Amino acid sequence: MFLWAIKSALEKATSVRRRAAVRGPQRRCPSAYVVRTLAAQQLRFYDGWRGRRHFPVPGPHKRNRIACAHGKPRAVTGLATSGSGRIDADEHAVRDLKRSLRGELVRPDDAAYDQLRRVWNGSINRYPGLIARCAGRDDVRTAVQFARKNGALVAVRGGGHSFPGYSVCDDGIVIDLSAMNGIRVDPDARTARVQAGALLGELDRATQEYGLAVPSGIVTHTGVAGLSLGGGMGWLMRKYGLAIDQLLSVDMITAEGEFVRASATENAGLFWGVRGGGGNFGIVTEFEFRLNSVGPIVMAGPIFWPTTESPKLLRFYREWSADAPDELMTLVVHRRAPAVPYIPTELHGQPVVAIVSCYAGLVDEGEKLLKPLKEFGTPILDLCQPKPFVDHQGMFDPSYPHGWWYYVRSCDVAELSDEVIDITVDYASRIVSPLTAFPIWQGGGAAARVSEDDAAFSGRTKGHTFNITGVALDESGFDAEREWVRDFWNDLAPFHTSVFMNFLMDEGEERVRQAYGEAKYNRLRELKRTWDPHNFFRLNQNILPLPAQE
């Protein structure tokens, strides 16, 4: 009876909100995102706005002109149409949009604008005409419909972690989902429903309360949406597959501004495409994941050696990891030792190679398996030990903060052959920036046993993934880091097999085509023609729709 009453109240509140959107501006507040914890027979509330700062939106602006916070004026009305992506809307239309949103509409002369336009990669510096901070699915629909009507380029922001900066655009509209960060965990059904603005760390904390997890990434301030739509590689992928392998359904807003649900039994073709096809087919507003048992204590962490030991270490690692069980996932990282609290100060800035492990099984089994690695050569620091899984997930956060300048090129290789190892060691010795690092991801395991035809994602049979990342604090020294990345990537070219879509920069259609392969790319183009024939969602690793059928 109690749950029925809650359900009725929520339905009534939804009805009121819909009427408010029609009538015009009302006194509104974001609704709590209800989490039903069946095991405890209680209601738990995760407020989608909790912990977030609220910014006032100033009043009316001058017609035909918006003055940017950085001092450069930007026109709003009477501009080019969708060919350029700039907003072709008059002041009245913009005010109507503002009244229709339950969330906030941020404009270039608003106090919050400069902060909200910035994304994780500090090298991206773009100035959108509008930022729609959506409070729910209806806001997303409203923003999409406004953008279609007014010929605006659309950028979609979840966590804002896109390497090439696809989370923000110049002149168009950013549909910002970051306030939609609710998470519902059902520990009995072992499922989680996750809104598109949630971050990996938020998802981990909600699920690890029950000893459960979704396979995800390795930096906790990454957005769930972007990571998952690209495939979702992380510490659990050898044990439980990619994030998309545990995805049960998605709720989406299409290019027509309509709601649609996709799963294995409903719009199955679309479900195939969103699992690896990125944001090409619509805006996912909510994900439903299957949960898996993990931890909460795991055997995990890095072991460091001097870079001078890398040639022998990588050859040992190649043999030792070849027969590793699915529970073990490893990354090899070359860099200068970062100035973080868990590394002794005398090692800061020293060239090191680390093998970072996560054993998603019994701790004592992990200790036994990792013993030969711990005893190889002369480690200078061993931090591989039992720890909470959520702590291990956040280990890389200090090395990839918001605002630094990042440039990446990536490739998959079949194996760590002697030639690949020699190239790797050579470029590791050339690292100058104390911020630059390049993880080498171990492949295989559960992710590799799923058929390549199961989803749009490609590259399941890779041996290893190189994520060659050059990092600088700001513009100073960034050109040198980019040159190092490109040279390294080019020298590995003879050994390239595939590439992880989320590790691509803005590299053009041909590179996207190569990533998927000809047959899969053509299937994706057909799907794009069905769901987005005019390429409305194009600020992404773009899949061009096939021409309209005669």
Side-chain angles (χ1 to χ4, degrees), residues 263-483:
S263 68
T265 58
E266 186 176 2
N267 295 305
L270 178 60
F271 189 58
W272 176 88
V274 299
R275 290 177 295 145
N280 272 281
F281 310 106
I283 300 176
V284 174
T285 57
E286 189 169 297
F287 299 80
E288 180 186 16
F289 290 104
R290 181 187 302 110
L291 298 176
N292 305 274
S293 296
V294 176
I297 303 300
V298 295
M299 183 70 182
I303 307 170
F304 294 86
W305 292 261
T307 296
T308 53
E309 294 195 25
S310 184
K312 292 182 179 179
L313 176 64
L314 290 181
R315 286 169 170 82
F316 167 80
Y317 167 79
R318 178 179 61 193
E319 306 304 321
W320 170 78
S321 63
D323 299 321
D326 290 356
E327 287 79 5
L328 181 66
M329 173 63 194
T330 59
L331 297 178
V332 179
V333 181
H334 290 81
R335 64 167 304 154
R336 292 182 178 272
V340 293
Y342 57 80
I343 293 182
T345 55
E346 61 268 21
L347 295 179
H348 291 179
Q350 297 301 309
V352 295
V353 52
I355 296 180
V356 191
S357 303
C358 181
Y359 187 82
L362 298 176
V363 169
D364 57 349
E365 292 179 355
E367 289 177 328
K368 181 178 179 180
L369 178 67
L370 289 161
K371 185 177 179 181
L373 180 65
K374 288 171 167 282
E375 294 176 348
F376 180 83
T378 54
I380 55 177
L381 183 63
D382 184 352
L383 299 174
C384 186
Q385 58 197 19
K387 65 186 63 173
F389 178 69
V390 291
D391 289 354
H392 181 64
Q393 278 283 76
M395 182 191 66
F396 282 121
D397 288 4
S399 295
Y400 297 96
H402 288 78
W404 287 0
W405 287 40
Y406 300 92
Y407 181 80
V408 65
R409 296 300 298 269
S410 181
C411 63
D412 298 334
V413 300
E415 61 177 345
L416 293 180
S417 63
D418 285 346
E419 295 89 344
V420 169
I421 289 175
D422 290 343
I423 294 169
T424 300
V425 172
D426 178 26
Y427 279 90
S429 69
R430 303 187 199 182
I431 293 176
V432 175
S433 169
L435 310 180
T436 285
F438 64 96
I440 304 172
W441 299 62
Q442 180 184 10
R449 290 193 290 271
V450 177
S451 170
E452 277 284 351
D453 296 330
D454 182 73
F457 180 87
S458 294
R460 289 183 177 274
T461 59
K462 62 180 176 288
H464 298 271
T465 295
F466 277 72
N467 182 17
I468 309 170
T469 310
V471 188
L473 275 176
D474 50 33
E475 186 176 4
S476 176
F478 191 55
D479 286 346
E481 294 306 308
R482 281 190 298 194
E483 183 178 0

